[in-house]
Amino acid sequence: MAGKAASPGTAVLLVTANVGSLFDDPETLQKNWLREFYQVVHTHKPHFMALHCQEFGGKNYEASMSHVDKFVKELLSSDAMKEYSRARVYLDENFRSQEHFTALGSFYFLHESLKNIYQFDFKAKKYKKVTGKEIYSDTLESTPMLEKEKFPQDYFPECKWSRKGFIRTRWCVADCAFDLVNIHLFHDASNLVAWETSPSVYSGIRHKALGYVLDRIIDQRFEKVSYFVFGDFNFRLDSKSVVETLCTKATVQTVRAADTNEVVKLVFRESDNDRKVMLQLEKKLFDYFNQEVFHDNNGTALLEFDKELSVFKDRLYELDISFPPRSWVEILITPACSGKL
């Protein structure tokens, strides 16, 4: 997903993408994805561009290292990007570190016409002029031009090795300072658990993690500036409310595992109409019989169930959602920004 913001004469393009699947089939998926990305760049013609990636390198980072190098080289040397004479690339490649690895990748491209661009050094606490193209990888914790953290394991104990966290950089463009935060929040581990309460337990975990990030980027260590938070929030519609609305008159059949008696499936049937199956719910399955409800008018009828950001309404402003509810990826900004740099 892309979002655009601009100050007079300076076009800024913010792009975020969970790219994990690109490394499963690099020959096909990467080529198609890059072609679409270059088209977005051509359409918007930004002066400053940020690309925030999550799950960079895919599920098996070590096996994908060669594909990662090829992907980065392609981005930096492509004819479509030749007018971007300066770049900064930050890749978390420290996949052997359970304590630190986030699988985040942040790319920043500066057009040759853009003058006097500065990036903040968090260690020296001063801005440094950006020149040339530089790539930083492996142990980003020692890189002074960013802040990076992985969320504590106790935030999501169900996952033995979570890779969720954030990377923060600070920039000064056209005398306007702002933070860009690449973030990856926790997913729903089970639809069966998610629908039990409203809001779900997973929603509470995401709230905790996002609150932690916001507290970090507005604390007293550095001067406060406007901030853009964009990445894979893993926000979900409120499952319990959605199911109860879609299946108002349904009866529920519970299917349990024979050996453990654990609930493995819920089947919602119409009370009449020959007890037609309306919804099947499993750990990783949400199969509703009428898929049009999720796509009609880009699913706007379901926006009333998109509640996860409401607790942060005084700290973040969300751009309008204009796409169907699948894996919703967000771009959020501090209210003071109002979409402008």
Side-chain angles (χ1 to χ4, degrees):
M1 179 183 174
K4 190 176 182 182
S7 61
T10 304
V12 177
L13 181 67
L14 308 179
V15 182
T16 183
N18 187 315
V19 296
S21 61
L22 300 189
F23 300 92
D24 296 333
D25 182 9
E27 289 302 315
T28 302
L29 296 180
Q30 276 191 28
K31 288 180 180 179
N32 292 337
W33 189 93
L34 286 168
R35 183 171 58 250
E36 292 295 325
F37 175 74
Y38 295 147
Q39 183 59 49
V40 169
V41 175
H42 177 75
T43 299
H44 293 285
K45 296 178 173 59
H47 298 100
F48 179 97
M49 176 169 48
L51 168 61
H52 283 178
C53 298
Q54 305 82 41
E55 295 292 347
F56 196 78
K59 298 298 183 184
N60 190 341
Y61 202 105
E62 187 170 11
S64 301
M65 286 300 294
S66 61
H67 302 313
V68 167
D69 293 341
K70 184 178 180 180
F71 182 88
V72 174
K73 182 178 180 180
E74 163 66 24
L75 270 177
L76 293 180
S77 62
S78 168
D79 285 343
M81 304 295 288
K82 63 183 179 181
E83 295 182 358
Y84 296 89
S85 57
R86 291 152 293 172
R88 292 293 182 270
V89 178
Y90 301 103
L91 305 176
D92 187 358
E93 295 185 336
N94 192 16
F95 55 86
R96 292 187 177 88
S97 173
Q98 183 173 348
E99 182 181 357
H100 298 294
F101 185 50
T102 63
L104 293 174
S106 296
F107 298 75
Y108 304 98
F109 302 94
L110 289 70
H111 194 270
E112 58 190 9
S113 65
L114 202 56
K115 309 299 182 183
N116 300 321
I117 305 303
Y118 299 89
Q119 187 180 1
F120 191 68
D121 183 321
F122 287 95
K123 185 175 181 179
K125 295 187 178 181
K126 63 180 182 181
Y127 288 94
K128 295 183 178 179
K129 191 171 183 177
V130 180
T131 60
K133 297 181 179 180
E134 297 178 1
I135 301 174
Y136 298 86
S137 60
D138 199 14
T139 308
L140 294 183
E141 286 76 19
S142 60
T143 304
M145 308 308 290
L146 58 80
E147 286 195 320
K148 191 207 85 168
E149 287 190 50
K150 176 184 170 181
F151 297 121
Q153 184 63 43
D154 60 4
Y155 274 34
F156 197 37
E158 289 186 38
C159 188
K160 293 182 179 179
W161 191 359
S162 169
R163 304 193 290 187
K164 306 302 191 291
F166 72 95
I167 291 178
R168 168 200 191 185
T169 57
R170 176 170 292 189
W171 304 85
C172 186
V173 179
D175 295 322
C176 178
F178 55 93
D179 284 350
L180 300 179
V181 182
N182 185 357
I183 190 171
H184 194 184
L185 297 181
F186 302 96
H187 60 280
D188 281 14
S190 169
N191 289 324
L192 295 170
V193 174
W195 99 286
E196 292 176 349
T197 60
S198 175
S200 76
V201 61
Y202 304 118
S203 176
I205 293 170
R206 288 188 285 272
H207 288 168
K208 183 178 180 180
L210 181 54
Y212 176 83
V213 174
L214 295 181
D215 289 342
R216 287 286 289 168
I217 64 179
I218 63 172
D219 61 20
Q220 301 301 315
R221 296 171 300 143
F222 308 104
E223 179 186 2
K224 292 183 180 180
V225 300
S226 299
Y227 50 87
F228 290 72
V229 186
F230 53 113
D232 187 349
F233 284 68
N234 265 311
F235 283 170
R236 302 293 202 269
L237 300 181
D238 186 85
S239 297
K240 186 174 180 63
S241 299
V242 170
V243 170
E244 289 177 347
T245 299
L246 295 179
C247 304
T248 304
K249 298 180 180 180
T251 58
V252 185
Q253 174 189 356
T254 301
V255 181
R256 298 179 180 272
D259 52 346
T260 64
N261 202 38
E262 177 185 5
V263 176
V264 295
K265 186 174 186 177
L266 296 175
V267 182
F268 295 78
R269 298 178 181 274
E270 291 185 354
S271 54
D272 48 20
N273 195 25
D274 296 326
R275 293 183 54 76
K276 178 180 178 180
V277 174
M278 302 178 66
L279 170 68
Q280 296 186 75
L281 200 64
E282 298 178 13
K283 182 177 181 178
K284 296 295 183 181
L285 175 72
F286 189 103
D287 185 14
Y288 186 61
F289 80 105
N290 180 16
Q291 289 294 307
E292 291 182 3
V293 71
F294 300 107
H295 301 284
D296 286 348
N297 197 23
N298 280 329
T300 52
L302 298 171
L303 284 176
E304 65 177 292
F305 307 114
D306 178 34
K307 305 174 181 179
E308 291 207 28
L309 195 63
S310 60
V311 297
F312 297 104
K313 62 182 180 181
D314 296 328
R315 306 177 70 182
L316 289 169
Y317 170 77
E318 183 179 30
L319 300 181
D320 291 338
I321 294 174
S322 58
F323 50 92
R326 296 184 299 168
S327 177
W328 283 16
V329 182
E330 315 285 351
I331 295 180
L332 307 175
I333 61 178
T334 171
C337 269
S338 299
K340 301 294 182 181
L341 290 185

